[in-house]
Amino acid sequence: MFLPRLSPSARVRLARRACLAAFVPVVLLLAGCDLSELWRMDGHQSTLHVAGPVAAAQRDVFYVTWWVTLTIFALVGSTLAYATWKFRVRNAADEHAAPPPQSHGNPLIELSLIGLSVGALVIIAVPTLKGIWYTYDVAPAERANVYEVNATGYQWWFRFDYPTEQATVQGNVKAPLVTANELVIPAGRPVRINLRTVDVIHSFWIPKLAGKVDMIPNRANFIWLKADEPGYFWGQCAEYCGDSHAVMRFRVVALEPKEFAAWLEQQTQTARDLPANVAESDRPKAQFASLRAPNDFSVNESGITDRFEVSPLDAWRAHQIPEKHENPELIAKGKTLFTAKTCIACHTVRGHGAQGVTGPDLTHFAARTTLAAGLLENNPEQVRRWLHNPGAVKPGNKMAKGFADNNVTLTAEDEEALVAYLLSLK
Ligand code: CUA
């Protein structure tokens, strides 16, 4: 029996109030109210303020489920609250009153509830299935326009391959372009990203564009996405993958077709030659005089500033241009040290003789806004901090192990020279 002690007029009042409670979310929904606007949930990794159709489809499925469940919550919750209040114990007589007559239920109400539950599930299922179909792969009509790249997970960074772009290795020798940790893509065009891993399971996620899809050993996964407009987006590994999982991040930079072509043109060149013929007066005596000593960083200090002085995309553009005041001698010394200190065993710098593949390709390292897989801002202070003690920044990483295994020690002068060299690689 449903609310057995209600008089007919009380039932009418109850029904009215329940409808009113259910009405609030429906009004919000009909008003096209955007929840993310209500609470300004538009951080760098917001899945509510999105920048592409795949993330939008995922967000829409979330909203459908949100509204359906919110409506159910409002109906059940308000009925429960009303009944709790209405039938509360008021006096001693209520305390010892006999229980109301028991029954085995009301077929009409029970069938209606089953019907409503099925209806709610159908309302959720239809857009969900549509979303799964849409986000799985690029629509057939758009396939001819797909740009394809490969992303490979490493503990703890991302390698990006451009199989269709030929980069100069040395002389006439060419190989597909390889970069790391900052994926540059054309805006307004569907991009299919083949997902691989060389070690454990990672997960590829750019909240504002698409995600998440796992990178699984011995399994060929892929994801597709599209950035509606040029922009700078934050991504990260979303599957626990060892010591430094929490700091396995990356960026995605979407560019207009023309700017993207110019970027490719630059990236496929070999590493920048050392600056020559810099007038004596233009040579900084101590290029990094103001550098904070590496030991001054606290253990938990993040080196990344997510607040750029200009727009993030303009900050990225500024990174493509060589520094005004470079010290050619210091850079040349750093280049020599890059070999002497065994950096070449793990890193590639096309055109400078380094061909290692264990760590990120550094051919155009300084053209990235971040280092250490999106963790530190790519500036002299942070590069030196990383070189000084990579294990303190990213526990368990292979560079720290390589330093220990090969007895690599760097003096302050060595660090400065390596910083100058690395930051000359635009
Ligand atoms: Cu890779 Cu978590």
Side-chain angles (χ1 to χ4, degrees):
M1 179 78 71
F2 185 64
L3 299 175
R5 289 203 220 159
L6 287 187
S7 65
S9 65
R11 285 182 197 214
V12 171
R13 279 206 305 278
L14 172 68
R16 251 193 232 145
R17 285 171 204 188
C19 286
L20 200 66
F23 197 56
V24 175
V26 173
V27 167
L28 282 171
L29 179 62
L30 292 179
C33 185
D34 184 350
L35 284 181
S36 59
E37 284 301 330
L38 274 180
W39 293 301
R40 297 306 305 164
M41 288 186 278
D42 61 350
H44 295 316
Q45 307 214 108
S46 171
T47 50
L48 300 179
H49 284 268
V50 297
V54 176
Q58 292 170 328
R59 178 203 54 196
D60 294 348
V61 169
F62 164 77
Y63 270 135
V64 168
T65 314
W66 160 268
W67 284 116
V68 169
T69 50
L70 187 73
T71 306
I72 293 171
F73 171 77
L75 278 171
V76 175
S78 53
T79 307
L80 178 67
Y82 177 78
T84 306
W85 176 254
K86 175 84 182 165
F87 302 108
R88 70 193 186 280
V89 172
R90 272 174 257 233
N91 48 45
D94 279 354
E95 193 92 57
H96 304 289
Q102 302 296 301
S103 78
H104 290 287
N106 180 323
L108 180 64
I109 289 172
E110 288 180 8
L111 284 173
S112 313
L113 287 177
I114 291 170
L116 284 172
S117 306
V118 171
L121 288 177
V122 170
I123 291 172
I124 292 175
V126 171
T128 301
L129 288 172
K130 252 178 80 181
I132 289 173
W133 249 264
Y134 179 74
T135 57
Y136 178 69
D137 200 357
V138 185
E142 282 208 275
R143 274 189 203 156
N145 194 26
V146 166
Y147 190 78
E148 198 148 333
V149 295
N150 304 335
T152 309
Y154 287 69
Q155 285 175 310
W156 291 273
W157 59 282
F158 292 93
R159 172 178 137 154
F160 299 118
D161 292 62
Y162 293 73
T164 53
E165 313 296 341
Q166 293 294 306
T168 306
V169 178
Q170 199 98 52
N172 291 326
V173 183
K174 294 197 182 264
L177 174 65
V178 177
T179 70
N181 296 328
E182 293 196 354
L183 174 63
V184 180
I185 56 167
R189 202 174 151 184
V191 179
R192 193 195 276 119
I193 307 170
N194 302 306
L195 303 173
R196 307 287 185 267
T197 171
V198 297
D199 37 52
V200 299
I201 300 177
H202 303 276
S203 183
F204 195 76
W205 187 33
I206 312 125
K208 279 177 180 278
L209 293 179
K212 317 155 178 173
V213 175
D214 280 1
M215 303 168 132
I216 301 173
N218 299 317
R219 185 182 167 130
N221 267 358
F222 67 91
I223 190 173
W224 84 275
L225 54 83
K226 184 156 84 176
D228 290 332
E229 304 283 336
Y232 182 97
F233 306 100
W234 278 253
Q236 73 168 70
C237 175
E239 175 78 37
Y240 178 70
C241 56
D243 301 26
S244 285
H245 153 71
V247 289
M248 183 173 174
R249 306 173 191 175
F250 63 103
R251 302 288 189 271
V252 174
V253 178
L255 302 174
E256 291 282 8
K258 235 176 122 181
E259 195 177 10
F260 180 66
W263 176 82
L264 279 176
E265 172 63 28
Q266 171 66 14
Q267 289 281 315
T268 48
Q269 312 281 319
T270 51
R272 189 166 154 252
D273 283 326
L274 303 188
N277 303 324
V278 176
E280 191 66 37
S281 57
D282 277 350
R283 294 185 184 191
K285 285 292 169 281
Q287 192 167 349
F288 307 117
S290 62
L291 278 196
R292 225 186 332 170
N295 290 330
D296 290 349
F297 290 95
S298 70
V299 175
N300 294 319
E301 185 174 344
S302 153
I304 193 77
T305 49
D306 283 348
R307 295 174 299 277
F308 293 90
E309 284 171 16
V310 288
S311 82
L313 190 56
D314 284 339
W316 178 86
R317 286 180 179 124
H319 268 269
Q320 312 307 306
I321 305 160
E323 299 293 328
K324 263 197 199 119
H325 300 291
E326 293 185 302
N327 183 335
E329 280 163 34
L330 197 60
I331 292 171
K333 185 184 165 195
K335 187 181 177 189
T336 310
L337 281 169
F338 196 78
T339 302
K341 298 292 180 183
T342 68
C343 312
I344 59 165
C346 295
H347 294 285
T348 292
V349 182
R350 278 182 289 108
H352 287 190
Q355 295 180 28
V357 293
T358 309
D361 185 302
L362 302 178
T363 307
H364 296 277
F365 166 76
R368 301 174 198 152
T369 53
T370 60
L371 77 142
L375 181 60
L376 304 177
E377 190 179 346
N378 198 0
N379 62 32
E381 229 170 39
Q382 300 295 352
V383 176
R384 185 171 176 208
R385 175 189 182 186
W386 171 256
L387 290 172
H388 186 75
N389 191 352
V393 176
K394 188 170 272 191
N397 83 78
K398 290 201 173 70
M399 184 153 144
K401 191 176 180 307
F403 274 22
D405 290 351
N406 300 316
N407 295 317
V408 175
T409 52
L410 301 173
T411 64
E413 291 74 37
D414 291 345
E415 285 170 9
E416 268 199 23
L418 280 167
V419 170
Y421 171 60
L422 289 168
L423 291 183
S424 75
L425 300 174
K426 292 280 182 178

